Amino acid sequence: MNIIIQKFGGTSVATEELRERVAKKVICSKEEGKAPVVVVSAIGRSGDPYATDTLIGLANRAFKEQSSRELDMIMACGEVISAVIMANTIKALGYEAVALSGLQAGIITDKYHGDAEVVQVDCEPILNLIKEGKIPVVTGFQGATMTGDITTLGRGGSDTTAAILGEALKADIVEIYTDVDGVMTADPRLVPEAKVIDNICYDEIYQMAEDGAKVVHPRAVEIARRGSLTLKIKNTFSDAPGTIINGNMGFKGSSYRNANEDNLLTAIAHKNGITQFTVSFNEDSVEESEKFMNELTNKHISIDLINFFTDRKVFTVDEKNAEKLELLLKSLGYKFKVTAGCSKITAIGHKIRGVPGVMARIVKALASQDVKILQSSDSHTTISCLVKQSDMEKAVNALHQEFNLSR
């Protein structure tokens, strides 16, 4: 059926002029013989009347305590409004379009309100509309339980909706429209020389998304990888070709043996709002470590950049969990040190696997800008460094320049 999923974020549908631009892109796909399925986010961003954060604020002002079920109901309203308006915009240009909620689109989830998982998709409602020559416009970010309760899929959930529908409908491609020309080698607001990446593999884009790049949600990448879906990141505001995301990088082990080779890295990502904890231990035992980790799990505290030693454990948490962790550590009687106001800088590239000297170049580049590395960790495709947030911009630019990513 040549199905194409086209997802548009809140900024892409924020004004009447932009919605007409989006409608024309959808119609262009239709006229090319494709069967477009549109996924939309709520209109605008926080402060705009129908944005998700605005609706949450409305609910919180009205009631200090509310159930997650009712909160999901009000959060889902933003996408419903967006889908109806977008469908009417397409109809005004002469093409039949039908707005669908997550439930009407056949998206069934578990019962975890606020961060639900999709358990099945009934494709029949959307396929029937396509067969009738109509364009389905689906609310992103939401679904419903088997009993009909509205659920939401977590922040960034419209990307998840697009990927889930792409997998279920066996779409040729999933296009995710944003306000940049594609996936870039670094945040262009920090690095003016950042360039668009033409092709990138699932592992690399997943790491970028996990480590701060906001161009696509990590869960959408996981779904795409599972279903061998091709994603394309495109700009709503231009006709730039965008970035293709798939597993076809032709990589079967590193052919690089010299860290000074060009093209070792794909991108530099960064994440702010990180707090480092150093927790002292009087005894190093399996039981004590297990007890400590169980306490973190019970309090739903996720840790990162983990370095465990015989006398201490060093790790980071998101700053939103820092106060909760401090209270926990005090209640358990641990001695600890807190370093707030940090950033995680991550160098990403599948070609660095097994190549000696990459870390040496990172240390040299950061030292040249007087940036102190507070902690580091690595994997097959990444090297991450913790730095003070005040040094973040210098660090990102230094690494981008050191590895010639603007070429």
Side-chain angles (χ1 to χ4, degrees), residues 356-390:
V358 178
M359 187 64 190
R361 287 182 67 180
I362 290 174
V363 171
K364 174 187 171 185
L366 297 183
S368 72
Q369 298 299 315
D370 296 320
V371 175
K372 182 180 178 182
I373 298 174
L374 305 176
Q375 195 178 346
S376 68
S377 70
D378 64 90
S379 70
H380 288 309
T381 58
T382 65
I383 296 177
S384 297
C385 296
L386 189 71
V387 303
K388 295 296 292 181
Q389 192 162 313
S390 56

Side-chain angles (χ1 to χ4, degrees), residues 312-330:
R312 66 194 186 282
K313 302 187 188 304
V314 186
F315 53 88
T316 63
V317 299
D318 190 290
E319 64 183 3
K320 68 182 180 183
N321 287 322
E323 184 177 356
K324 179 166 65 171
L325 179 55
E326 284 193 57
L327 292 174
L328 174 64
L329 293 173
K330 287 177 181 177

Side-chain angles (χ1 to χ4, degrees), residues 28-47:
C28 181
S29 294
K30 181 77 170 174
E31 291 177 341
E32 289 174 352
K34 300 171 184 174
V37 176
V38 181
V39 175
V40 291
S41 298
I43 294 172
R45 289 182 175 169
S46 182

Side-chain angles (χ1 to χ4, degrees), residues 169-386:
L169 296 167
K170 296 180 171 54
D172 291 349
I173 194 167
V174 176
E175 294 181 341
I176 295 178
Y177 284 84
T178 181
D179 55 1
V180 292
D181 284 343
V183 180
M184 305 193 75
T185 52
D187 187 334
R189 294 169 296 183
L190 300 178
V191 185
E193 299 81 17
K195 70 172 188 176
V196 175
I197 302 166
D198 295 329
N199 295 81
I200 190 168
C201 65
Y202 297 130
D203 286 347
E204 290 177 329
I205 191 65
Y206 182 84
Q207 285 298 153
M208 289 183 68
E210 279 285 295
D211 290 319
K214 295 180 173 60
V215 70
V216 62
H217 197 278
R219 191 181 293 182
V221 178
E222 287 182 326
I223 295 165
R225 177 164 45 194
R226 181 181 71 198
S228 298
L229 274 173
T230 296
L231 303 180
K232 181 177 277 192
I233 309 300
K234 301 191 73 174
N235 193 339
T236 305
F237 312 104
S238 77
D239 294 320
T243 300
I244 293 174
I245 303 168
N246 56 31
N248 301 321
M249 296 299 292
F251 177 68
K252 298 178 180 177
S254 179
S255 61
Y256 292 77
R257 290 294 176 265
N258 188 332
N260 294 317
E261 296 274 3
D262 284 336
N263 304 317
L264 271 176
L265 293 186
T266 300
I268 307 296
H270 72 281
K271 184 184 287 188
N272 295 329
I274 305 295
T275 301
Q276 182 192 53
F277 280 78
T278 303
V279 183
S280 299
F281 283 76
N282 293 325
E283 59 175 311
D284 178 42
S285 68
V286 173
E287 291 79 10
E288 183 65 18
S289 292
E290 183 180 4
K291 174 188 172 184
F292 179 73
M293 295 305 297
N294 285 339
E295 292 288 351
L296 296 181
T297 301
N298 292 338
K299 293 293 183 180
H300 302 286
I301 297 173
S302 176
I303 63 175
D304 191 17
L305 289 177
I306 305 163
N307 298 128
F308 282 6
F309 305 95
T310 56
D311 61 340
R312 66 194 186 282
K313 302 187 188 304
V314 186
F315 53 88
T316 63
V317 299
D318 190 290
E319 64 183 3
K320 68 182 180 183
N321 287 322
E323 184 177 356
K324 179 166 65 171
L325 179 55
E326 284 193 57
L327 292 174
L328 174 64
L329 293 173
K330 287 177 181 177
S331 70
L332 296 173
Y334 287 111
K335 294 180 180 179
F336 61 93
K337 174 186 174 185
V338 179
T339 305
C342 299
S343 295
K344 178 184 177 183
I345 313 297
T346 305
I348 299 163
H350 67 271
K351 295 175 184 175
I352 67 174
R353 187 178 303 171
V355 179
V358 178
M359 187 64 190
R361 287 182 67 180
I362 290 174
V363 171
K364 174 187 171 185
L366 297 183
S368 72
Q369 298 299 315
D370 296 320
V371 175
K372 182 180 178 182
I373 298 174
L374 305 176
Q375 195 178 346
S376 68
S377 70
D378 64 90
S379 70
H380 288 309
T381 58
T382 65
I383 296 177
S384 297
C385 296
L386 189 71

Side-chain angles (χ1 to χ4, degrees), residues 110-131:
D110 59 25
K111 299 179 181 180
Y112 289 94
H113 289 284
D115 193 23
E117 291 278 354
V118 177
V119 294
Q120 69 181 70
V121 178
D122 177 6
C123 298
E124 188 173 353
I126 292 177
L127 290 177
N128 285 340
L129 290 174
I130 292 173
K131 289 173 185 176

